[in-house]
């Protein structure tokens, strides 16, 4: 076997599943899993590649010769906030199964708010027979913030359900059947939006972005009566106190949140108690371990064949 660098793995999630998936991965080079106590003191100075999610603080000191970093998730905000992050390529996780799961979650939340699902579940618990006249999906405009890998797939699937879909991103996009807006057209985008879907990465620009001022610009005379906020990007982009007040005052008619500033969401957080807020525990689209390791194998094969890496993070914009 040629002298290939092993892959350093420091993933702070699902240790058993990661260890099981590693048994059949990187057959041509092996791996060093830092979750294994036997690897605590191992020499890492010769390692070229690292697959990371919230790595040890001294990792880059111990592995000073890395050539490529791989993120264990689609979002790289936790990686980009590491103080001594080396200036080398960072590849984020992009995978068809993760993308499909996110779109399922987004479509589910839009339909739940459209069809009064939360009211129906409560009425069933209370043995109450009550009909709701819901608008048709085509009468409702879903505005997606972030037209990247996830936003574009969600847009296509919401259109299949009949929703009118518009989208907003830093740069203008061309997407069949979807009216798009660029960063400078934020207010026009918000004024058209009945359901706002957040699929933005967390960066210095998007921190605290979903706040009362933004909610007040959403359309108020649409078929839903009051706008709905749905976020599966990152919790750091939302001001949770503003969501609580907006639900209380009717500025928002409902919300669905998969991500939070503090996770797990503390038991005494007021969001838990709000009937019009659907809470899921950051499981809209999990990184599946086997798919993650296959993706890293493919990117290393490209890199060693002299082909460009895919899904590279821009160190300047932070996503
Ligand atoms: N809840 C979960 O389970 C889960 C799972 C996976 C991912 N996520 C989150 O979803 C996020 C999006 O993933 P993705 O794969 O779709 O990312 P992506 O392909 O990098 O797309 C990001 C999109 O956001 C836009 N954007 C970024 N900063 C912006 C700004 N300041 N103003 C306007 N638009 C901005 C980008 O605009 P341009 O295209 O113009 O650059 C792009 O369209 C991830 O970063 C992660 O935080 C959550």
């Amino acid at each position: 076997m040629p002298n290939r660098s092993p892959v350093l793995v420091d993933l702070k999630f699902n240790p058993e599943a990661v260890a099981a998936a590693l048994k059949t991965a990187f057959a041509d080079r092996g791996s060093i899993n830092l979750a294994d106590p036997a690897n605590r003191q191992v020499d890492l100075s010769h390692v070229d590649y690292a697959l990371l999610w919230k790595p040890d603080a001294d990792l880059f000191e111990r592995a000073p010769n890395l050539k490529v970093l791989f993120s264990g998730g689609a979002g790289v905000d936790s990686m980009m906030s590491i103080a001594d992050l080396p200036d080398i390529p960072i590849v984020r996780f992009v995978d068809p199964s993760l993308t499909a799961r996110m779109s399922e979650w987004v479509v589910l939340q839009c339909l739940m708010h459209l069809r009064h699902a939360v009211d129906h579940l409560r009425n069933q618990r209370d043995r109450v027979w009550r009909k709701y006249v819901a608008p048709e999906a085509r009468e409702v405009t879903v505005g997606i913030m972030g037209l990247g890998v996830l936003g574009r797939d969600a847009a296509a699937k919401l259109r299949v359900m009949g929703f009118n879909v518009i989208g907003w991103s830093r740069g203008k996009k061309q997407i069949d059947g979807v009216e798009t807006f660029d960063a400078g057209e934020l207010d026009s985008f918000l004024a058209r939006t009945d359901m706002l879907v957040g699929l933005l990465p967390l960066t210095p620009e998007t921190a605290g972005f979903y706040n009362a001022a933004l909610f007040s610009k959403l359309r108020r005379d649409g078929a839903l009566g009051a706008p709905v906020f749905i976020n599966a990007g990152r919790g750091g982009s939302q001001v949770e106190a503003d969501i609580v007040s907006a639900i209380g005052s009717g500025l928002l008619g409902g919300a669905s949140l998969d991500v939070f500033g503090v996770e797990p969401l503390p038991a005494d957080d007021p969001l838990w108690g709000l009937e019009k807020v659907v809470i899921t525990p950051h499981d809209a689209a999990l990184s599946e371990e086997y798919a993650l390791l296959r993706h890293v194998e493919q990117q290393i094969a490209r890199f060693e064949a002299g082909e460009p890496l895919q899904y590279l993070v821009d160190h300047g914009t932070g996503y």
Side-chain angles (χ1 to χ4, degrees):
M1 190 191 288
N3 194 14
R4 294 192 162 122
S5 164
V7 178
L8 171 59
V9 177
D10 189 1
L11 294 172
K12 301 289 190 324
F13 56 72
N14 301 349
E16 292 85 14
V18 170
L22 278 172
K23 284 189 186 146
T24 52
F26 309 121
D28 58 345
R29 64 186 66 250
S31 59
I32 302 172
N33 184 3
L34 291 193
D36 182 345
N39 290 329
R40 293 244 165 87
Q41 306 301 327
V42 162
D43 174 22
L44 303 177
S45 60
H46 61 297
V47 176
D48 290 346
Y49 310 111
L51 169 58
L52 306 174
W53 187 256
K54 306 195 173 162
D56 291 347
D58 63 350
L59 184 110
F60 298 117
E61 242 172 75
R62 287 183 64 195
N65 293 311
L66 293 169
K67 294 195 175 76
V68 183
L69 302 182
F70 297 92
S71 164
V76 289
D77 44 289
S78 62
M79 179 93 93
M80 301 314 283
S81 63
I82 297 173
D84 56 352
L85 188 70
D87 189 13
I88 58 175
I90 301 174
V91 176
R92 63 194 198 91
F93 183 37
V94 173
D95 172 62
S97 132
L98 185 149
T99 304
R101 285 167 205 222
M102 178 57 83
S103 294
E104 290 166 4
W105 186 89
V106 170
V107 172
L108 171 69
Q109 301 310 320
C110 290
L111 289 175
M112 280 186 76
H113 290 285
L114 179 74
R115 297 303 300 264
H116 298 271
V118 170
D119 298 313
H120 282 303
L121 289 171
R122 187 195 54 240
N123 290 344
Q124 180 180 346
R125 264 195 316 273
D126 298 343
R127 298 170 186 249
V128 171
W129 183 271
R130 179 176 166 198
K131 300 184 195 221
Y132 293 91
V133 183
E136 255 187 75
R138 68 179 172 79
E139 296 171 64
V140 172
T141 297
V142 181
I144 302 180
M145 304 199 96
L147 293 173
V149 175
L150 301 181
R152 280 167 174 263
D153 193 70
K157 287 167 183 167
L158 286 165
R159 271 177 37 79
V160 171
M161 290 313 305
F163 287 102
N164 179 39
V165 182
I166 62 175
W168 180 83
S169 54
R170 180 193 298 273
K172 187 88 169 169
K173 301 283 178 297
Q174 291 293 331
I175 305 175
D176 270 357
V178 177
E179 191 180 342
T180 57
F181 299 75
D182 67 22
E185 300 169 307
L186 177 62
D187 287 4
S188 329
F189 164 81
L190 294 171
R192 297 268 306 282
T193 296
D194 298 310
M195 288 187 187
L196 183 69
V197 172
L199 285 172
L200 287 171
L202 177 60
T203 67
E205 282 183 348
T206 64
F209 185 64
Y210 306 117
N211 55 29
L214 181 140
F215 300 144
S216 71
K217 294 177 182 170
L218 293 166
R219 176 151 89 169
R220 303 210 58 79
D221 59 356
L224 292 175
V228 166
F229 174 55
I230 295 172
N231 190 19
R234 279 289 181 269
S237 296
Q238 71 202 9
V239 179
E240 285 162 17
D242 285 6
I243 298 174
V244 173
S245 338
I247 293 283
S249 68
L251 185 62
L252 289 176
S256 290
L257 307 173
D258 184 57
V259 288
F260 302 89
V262 176
E263 296 180 1
L265 184 64
D268 61 354
D269 194 287
L271 284 168
W272 285 113
L274 300 179
E275 270 204 12
K276 291 178 175 167
V277 179
V278 177
I279 288 176
T280 55
H282 201 150
D283 66 354
L286 296 174
S287 297
E288 199 275 314
E289 291 78 11
Y290 286 92
L292 173 62
L293 299 184
R294 265 199 312 277
H295 149 88
V296 175
E297 286 175 337
Q298 285 160 3
Q299 294 302 319
I300 290 177
R302 290 179 69 96
F303 185 70
E304 294 188 345
E307 292 168 33
L309 289 163
Q310 296 172 299
Y311 318 122
L312 280 172
V313 174
D314 179 330
H315 282 255
T317 58
Y319 68 94

